[in-house]
Amino acid sequence: MIVDRAEAARFQRQVKVLPAGCWLWTGQGTGDGYGFFRPGPGRPRVMAHRYAYERFVGPIPDGTQLDHRCHTDTPDCPGGKECGHRRCVNPEHLEPVSASENTLRQRHYERARSQCPAGHPYAGDNLIMRADGKRRCRECDRARKRAQPTVAGR
């Protein structure tokens, strides 16, 4: 990626270096917490962390996504929109990984739950794994099926 000095200076002005080493993007962002940067007039905006990686490291390999290692390595980070690591643009904190690896590393509220809403465990024979990766409670699934009205003739 060819970057002129004015463009690089504009990018750096929107970065605040934090004590933990994260480069916090202070410019505009998306609704889900990521930063974005417009390299110049008439040019499309790009994700700020992708811009930083390409500028300081090189091209992002085809078929990969950038994982924020600062998030992955911080076990008490809540994840989701509130995750401050989404605005980190430090290229040393970014790692190209496959989409499936990036998904496995994410912390989702639902994935962290060990019980269904009724309090049954998401474990052993009570756990149903759907094809889309979502979990279901076998005990609640049985109760739901028993409660469904039967249709005459079936």
Side-chain angles (χ1 to χ4, degrees):
M1 172 184 281
I2 299 173
V3 180
D4 65 32
R5 287 181 185 221
E7 181 180 306
R10 269 188 325 99
F11 183 84
Q12 287 300 124
R13 279 195 301 270
Q14 297 180 77
V15 172
K16 177 182 178 183
V17 179
L18 300 178
C22 287
W23 295 3
L24 181 68
W25 181 252
T26 62
Q28 293 182 312
T30 64
D32 57 354
Y34 294 95
F36 65 80
F37 176 65
R38 189 174 305 276
R43 293 179 55 195
R45 70 182 192 182
V46 294
M47 301 304 291
H49 64 289
R50 293 179 63 86
Y51 177 88
Y53 188 90
E54 290 178 336
R55 180 179 186 287
F56 294 106
V57 177
I60 300 167
D62 287 341
T64 64
Q65 301 174 351
L66 293 178
D67 176 38
H68 287 81
R69 291 302 313 211
C70 49
H71 168 77
T72 304
D73 296 340
T74 306
D76 60 342
C77 180
K81 294 178 185 179
E82 290 74 36
C83 174
H85 297 109
R86 288 185 175 195
R87 286 194 168 257
C88 179
V89 297
N90 182 343
E92 292 180 1
H93 291 190
L94 303 170
E95 177 185 10
V97 296
S98 68
S100 59
E101 178 66 21
N102 199 19
T103 300
L104 286 172
R105 292 178 177 184
Q106 294 172 2
R107 274 189 294 286
H108 293 283
Y109 167 74
E110 288 297 323
R111 191 177 298 146
R113 292 177 60 181
S114 60
Q115 299 178 336
C116 77
H120 306 123
Y122 279 136
D125 291 339
N126 194 49
L127 175 63
I128 300 171
M129 287 297 294
R130 294 179 10 177
D132 62 3
K134 293 183 179 177
R135 300 174 300 168
R136 291 189 68 168
C137 169
R138 188 173 307 278
E139 194 169 331
C140 290
D141 202 46
R142 286 184 188 134
R144 189 172 28 258
K145 288 176 182 174
R146 282 192 301 268
Q148 289 178 345
T150 57
V151 178
R154 282 197 193 177

